[in-house]
mmCIF file of all heavy atoms in Angstrom:
data_model
loop_
_atom_site.group_PDB
_atom_site.id
_atom_site.type_symbol
_atom_site.label_atom_id
_atom_site.label_comp_id
_atom_site.label_asym_id
_atom_site.label_seq_id
_atom_site.Cartn_x
_atom_site.Cartn_y
_atom_site.Cartn_z
ATOM 1 N N SER A 1 77.407 136.929 146.944
ATOM 2 C CA SER A 1 76.652 136.570 145.747
ATOM 3 C C SER A 1 77.587 136.249 144.588
ATOM 4 O O SER A 1 78.767 136.614 144.603
ATOM 5 C CB SER A 1 75.712 137.716 145.350
ATOM 6 O OG SER A 1 76.455 138.893 145.054
ATOM 7 N N GLU A 2 77.076 135.581 143.575
ATOM 8 C CA GLU A 2 77.902 135.172 142.439
ATOM 9 C C GLU A 2 78.567 136.345 141.739
ATOM 10 O O GLU A 2 79.679 136.232 141.230
ATOM 11 C CB GLU A 2 77.056 134.381 141.431
ATOM 12 C CG GLU A 2 76.703 132.981 141.909
ATOM 13 C CD GLU A 2 76.034 132.159 140.816
ATOM 14 O OE1 GLU A 2 76.073 132.598 139.647
ATOM 15 O OE2 GLU A 2 75.486 131.099 141.134
ATOM 16 N N ASP A 3 77.876 137.493 141.695
ATOM 17 C CA ASP A 3 78.469 138.662 141.040
ATOM 18 C C ASP A 3 79.415 139.433 141.957
ATOM 19 O O ASP A 3 80.022 140.428 141.558
ATOM 20 C CB ASP A 3 77.379 139.589 140.493
ATOM 21 C CG ASP A 3 76.462 140.144 141.587
ATOM 22 O OD1 ASP A 3 76.742 139.916 142.785
ATOM 23 O OD2 ASP A 3 75.455 140.791 141.236
ATOM 24 N N GLY A 4 79.566 138.970 143.202
ATOM 25 C CA GLY A 4 80.497 139.594 144.137
ATOM 26 C C GLY A 4 80.021 140.901 144.728
ATOM 27 O O GLY A 4 80.796 141.585 145.412
ATOM 28 N N LEU A 5 78.761 141.235 144.540
ATOM 29 C CA LEU A 5 78.278 142.550 144.963
ATOM 30 C C LEU A 5 77.450 142.539 146.248
ATOM 31 O O LEU A 5 77.349 143.570 146.920
ATOM 32 C CB LEU A 5 77.455 143.193 143.841
ATOM 33 C CG LEU A 5 78.213 143.479 142.538
ATOM 34 C CD1 LEU A 5 77.284 144.099 141.505
ATOM 35 C CD2 LEU A 5 79.415 144.393 142.793
ATOM 36 N N THR A 6 76.875 141.418 146.599
ATOM 37 C CA THR A 6 76.056 141.362 147.813
ATOM 38 C C THR A 6 76.725 140.472 148.854
ATOM 39 O O THR A 6 76.973 139.295 148.609
ATOM 40 C CB THR A 6 74.641 140.831 147.503
ATOM 41 O OG1 THR A 6 74.002 141.714 146.576
ATOM 42 C CG2 THR A 6 73.804 140.775 148.778
ATOM 43 N N TRP A 7 77.021 141.061 149.994
ATOM 44 C CA TRP A 7 77.671 140.365 151.093
ATOM 45 C C TRP A 7 76.681 140.246 152.245
ATOM 46 O O TRP A 7 76.149 141.254 152.718
ATOM 47 C CB TRP A 7 78.913 141.128 151.553
ATOM 48 C CG TRP A 7 80.028 141.138 150.551
ATOM 49 C CD1 TRP A 7 79.996 141.694 149.305
ATOM 50 C CD2 TRP A 7 81.327 140.570 150.713
ATOM 51 N NE1 TRP A 7 81.200 141.523 148.665
ATOM 52 C CE2 TRP A 7 82.047 140.833 149.522
ATOM 53 C CE3 TRP A 7 81.965 139.885 151.738
ATOM 54 C CZ2 TRP A 7 83.363 140.421 149.331
ATOM 55 C CZ3 TRP A 7 83.283 139.481 151.559
ATOM 56 C CH2 TRP A 7 83.957 139.737 150.363
ATOM 57 N N THR A 8 76.459 139.033 152.705
ATOM 58 C CA THR A 8 75.531 138.792 153.806
ATOM 59 C C THR A 8 76.291 138.196 154.988
ATOM 60 O O THR A 8 76.828 137.082 154.901
ATOM 61 C CB THR A 8 74.398 137.843 153.377
ATOM 62 O OG1 THR A 8 73.725 138.392 152.229
ATOM 63 C CG2 THR A 8 73.392 137.667 154.513
ATOM 64 N N PHE A 9 76.360 138.953 156.062
ATOM 65 C CA PHE A 9 77.088 138.538 157.256
ATOM 66 C C PHE A 9 76.125 138.027 158.315
ATOM 67 O O PHE A 9 75.105 138.671 158.593
ATOM 68 C CB PHE A 9 77.887 139.712 157.832
ATOM 69 C CG PHE A 9 78.944 140.245 156.916
ATOM 70 C CD1 PHE A 9 78.654 141.256 156.009
ATOM 71 C CD2 PHE A 9 80.238 139.741 156.956
ATOM 72 C CE1 PHE A 9 79.625 141.758 155.160
ATOM 73 C CE2 PHE A 9 81.217 140.235 156.114
ATOM 74 C CZ PHE A 9 80.914 141.245 155.211
ATOM 75 N N LYS A 10 76.437 136.884 158.892
ATOM 76 C CA LYS A 10 75.661 136.341 159.993
ATOM 77 C C LYS A 10 76.443 136.539 161.287
ATOM 78 O O LYS A 10 77.555 136.009 161.448
ATOM 79 C CB LYS A 10 75.378 134.848 159.780
ATOM 80 C CG LYS A 10 74.418 134.565 158.629
ATOM 81 C CD LYS A 10 73.010 135.111 158.934
ATOM 82 C CE LYS A 10 72.029 134.777 157.825
ATOM 83 N NZ LYS A 10 70.675 135.298 158.122
ATOM 84 N N LEU A 11 75.901 137.323 162.198
ATOM 85 C CA LEU A 11 76.607 137.633 163.435
ATOM 86 C C LEU A 11 76.510 136.485 164.439
ATOM 87 O O LEU A 11 75.498 135.796 164.519
ATOM 88 C CB LEU A 11 76.035 138.903 164.067
ATOM 89 C CG LEU A 11 76.008 140.173 163.215
ATOM 90 C CD1 LEU A 11 75.620 141.377 164.076
ATOM 91 C CD2 LEU A 11 77.345 140.427 162.530
ATOM 92 N N ARG A 12 77.585 136.304 165.190
ATOM 93 C CA ARG A 12 77.586 135.323 166.272
ATOM 94 C C ARG A 12 76.857 135.926 167.482
ATOM 95 O O ARG A 12 76.560 137.119 167.524
ATOM 96 C CB ARG A 12 79.013 134.925 166.631
ATOM 97 C CG ARG A 12 79.821 136.057 167.211
ATOM 98 C CD ARG A 12 81.201 135.591 167.668
ATOM 99 N NE ARG A 12 82.137 135.383 166.560
ATOM 100 C CZ ARG A 12 82.629 134.198 166.237
ATOM 101 N NH1 ARG A 12 82.257 133.104 166.895
ATOM 102 N NH2 ARG A 12 83.501 134.074 165.244
ATOM 103 N N ASP A 13 76.597 135.102 168.484
ATOM 104 C CA ASP A 13 76.033 135.615 169.731
ATOM 105 C C ASP A 13 77.157 136.306 170.491
ATOM 106 O O ASP A 13 78.035 135.649 171.065
ATOM 107 C CB ASP A 13 75.437 134.476 170.564
ATOM 108 C CG ASP A 13 74.167 133.912 169.945
ATOM 109 O OD1 ASP A 13 73.438 134.699 169.307
ATOM 110 O OD2 ASP A 13 73.915 132.704 170.096
ATOM 111 N N ALA A 14 77.149 137.602 170.462
ATOM 112 C CA ALA A 14 78.205 138.388 171.114
ATOM 113 C C ALA A 14 77.567 139.540 171.875
ATOM 114 O O ALA A 14 76.450 139.977 171.562
ATOM 115 C CB ALA A 14 79.190 138.915 170.075
ATOM 116 N N LYS A 15 78.294 140.024 172.877
ATOM 117 C CA LYS A 15 77.761 141.083 173.733
ATOM 118 C C LYS A 15 78.727 142.258 173.834
ATOM 119 O O LYS A 15 79.945 142.104 173.689
ATOM 120 C CB LYS A 15 77.491 140.538 175.143
ATOM 121 C CG LYS A 15 76.433 139.462 175.205
ATOM 122 C CD LYS A 15 76.270 138.969 176.633
ATOM 123 C CE LYS A 15 75.214 137.876 176.733
ATOM 124 N NZ LYS A 15 75.067 137.395 178.126
ATOM 125 N N TRP A 16 78.153 143.412 174.094
ATOM 126 C CA TRP A 16 78.944 144.581 174.455
ATOM 127 C C TRP A 16 79.473 144.382 175.870
ATOM 128 O O TRP A 16 79.004 143.515 176.603
ATOM 129 C CB TRP A 16 78.102 145.847 174.382
ATOM 130 C CG TRP A 16 77.683 146.215 172.992
ATOM 131 C CD1 TRP A 16 76.493 145.941 172.390
ATOM 132 C CD2 TRP A 16 78.461 146.935 172.032
ATOM 133 N NE1 TRP A 16 76.478 146.429 171.103
ATOM 134 C CE2 TRP A 16 77.668 147.053 170.862
ATOM 135 C CE3 TRP A 16 79.739 147.493 172.038
ATOM 136 C CZ2 TRP A 16 78.128 147.694 169.717
ATOM 137 C CZ3 TRP A 16 80.196 148.142 170.898
ATOM 138 C CH2 TRP A 16 79.402 148.242 169.752
ATOM 139 N N SER A 17 80.431 145.184 176.254
ATOM 140 C CA SER A 17 81.036 145.022 177.572
ATOM 141 C C SER A 17 80.062 145.288 178.708
ATOM 142 O O SER A 17 80.324 144.911 179.852
ATOM 143 C CB SER A 17 82.261 145.943 177.709
ATOM 144 O OG SER A 17 81.911 147.299 177.457
ATOM 145 N N ASP A 18 78.925 145.928 178.414
ATOM 146 C CA ASP A 18 77.911 146.131 179.455
ATOM 147 C C ASP A 18 76.854 145.026 179.455
ATOM 148 O O ASP A 18 75.855 145.110 180.168
ATOM 149 C CB ASP A 18 77.244 147.500 179.320
ATOM 150 C CG ASP A 18 76.444 147.665 178.038
ATOM 151 O OD1 ASP A 18 76.444 146.737 177.207
ATOM 152 O OD2 ASP A 18 75.811 148.735 177.861
ATOM 153 N N GLY A 19 77.073 143.982 178.632
ATOM 154 C CA GLY A 19 76.186 142.836 178.634
ATOM 155 C C GLY A 19 75.070 142.866 177.615
ATOM 156 O O GLY A 19 74.374 141.866 177.421
ATOM 157 N N LYS A 20 74.875 143.983 176.932
ATOM 158 C CA LYS A 20 73.820 144.064 175.927
ATOM 159 C C LYS A 20 74.266 143.370 174.634
ATOM 160 O O LYS A 20 75.452 143.388 174.300
ATOM 161 C CB LYS A 20 73.457 145.523 175.652
ATOM 162 C CG LYS A 20 72.768 146.202 176.833
ATOM 163 C CD LYS A 20 72.281 147.602 176.462
ATOM 164 C CE LYS A 20 71.542 148.243 177.634
ATOM 165 N NZ LYS A 20 71.037 149.591 177.291
ATOM 166 N N PRO A 21 73.336 142.756 173.903
ATOM 167 C CA PRO A 21 73.725 142.041 172.674
ATOM 168 C C PRO A 21 74.193 142.987 171.575
ATOM 169 O O PRO A 21 73.667 144.091 171.421
ATOM 170 C CB PRO A 21 72.435 141.315 172.277
ATOM 171 C CG PRO A 21 71.329 142.084 172.916
ATOM 172 C CD PRO A 21 71.893 142.616 174.194
ATOM 173 N N ILE A 22 75.194 142.532 170.820
ATOM 174 C CA ILE A 22 75.653 143.252 169.629
ATOM 175 C C ILE A 22 74.752 142.839 168.476
ATOM 176 O O ILE A 22 74.564 141.651 168.219
ATOM 177 C CB ILE A 22 77.121 142.915 169.318
ATOM 178 C CG1 ILE A 22 78.025 143.374 170.470
ATOM 179 C CG2 ILE A 22 77.566 143.566 168.001
ATOM 180 C CD1 ILE A 22 79.462 142.902 170.346
ATOM 181 N N THR A 23 74.171 143.812 167.800
ATOM 182 C CA THR A 23 73.218 143.515 166.731
ATOM 183 C C THR A 23 73.687 144.084 165.399
ATOM 184 O O THR A 23 74.587 144.929 165.338
ATOM 185 C CB THR A 23 71.833 144.100 167.051
ATOM 186 O OG1 THR A 23 71.876 145.533 166.930
ATOM 187 C CG2 THR A 23 71.385 143.718 168.465
ATOM 188 N N ALA A 24 73.027 143.628 164.332
ATOM 189 C CA ALA A 24 73.346 144.114 162.985
ATOM 190 C C ALA A 24 73.094 145.609 162.867
ATOM 191 O O ALA A 24 73.773 146.311 162.111
ATOM 192 C CB ALA A 24 72.529 143.348 161.955
ATOM 193 N N ASN A 25 72.124 146.119 163.618
ATOM 194 C CA ASN A 25 71.841 147.553 163.567
ATOM 195 C C ASN A 25 72.993 148.391 164.110
ATOM 196 O O ASN A 25 73.136 149.560 163.748
ATOM 197 C CB ASN A 25 70.555 147.870 164.332
ATOM 198 C CG ASN A 25 69.316 147.638 163.476
ATOM 199 O OD1 ASN A 25 69.235 148.116 162.351
ATOM 200 N ND2 ASN A 25 68.368 146.881 164.005
ATOM 201 N N ASP A 26 73.822 147.806 164.968
ATOM 202 C CA ASP A 26 75.006 148.526 165.457
ATOM 203 C C ASP A 26 75.979 148.770 164.302
ATOM 204 O O ASP A 26 76.645 149.811 164.244
ATOM 205 C CB ASP A 26 75.693 147.738 166.568
ATOM 206 C CG ASP A 26 74.836 147.626 167.822
ATOM 207 O OD1 ASP A 26 74.114 148.584 168.132
ATOM 208 O OD2 ASP A 26 74.890 146.568 168.486
#
């Protein structure tokens, strides 16, 4: 954000080593 306080990350399609998707909740 313009004030430098809010950071919004967009995750790529990535998986854990067991094949499950890596999510923002992780």
Side-chain angles (χ1 to χ4, degrees):
S1 61
E2 287 188 13
D3 62 7
L5 297 179
T6 299
W7 292 63
T8 303
F9 297 89
K10 291 294 183 180
L11 304 189
R12 65 175 76 245
D13 290 328
K15 296 179 180 180
W16 293 97
S17 56
D18 65 357
K20 292 187 178 181
I22 297 171
T23 71
N25 277 310
D26 294 325

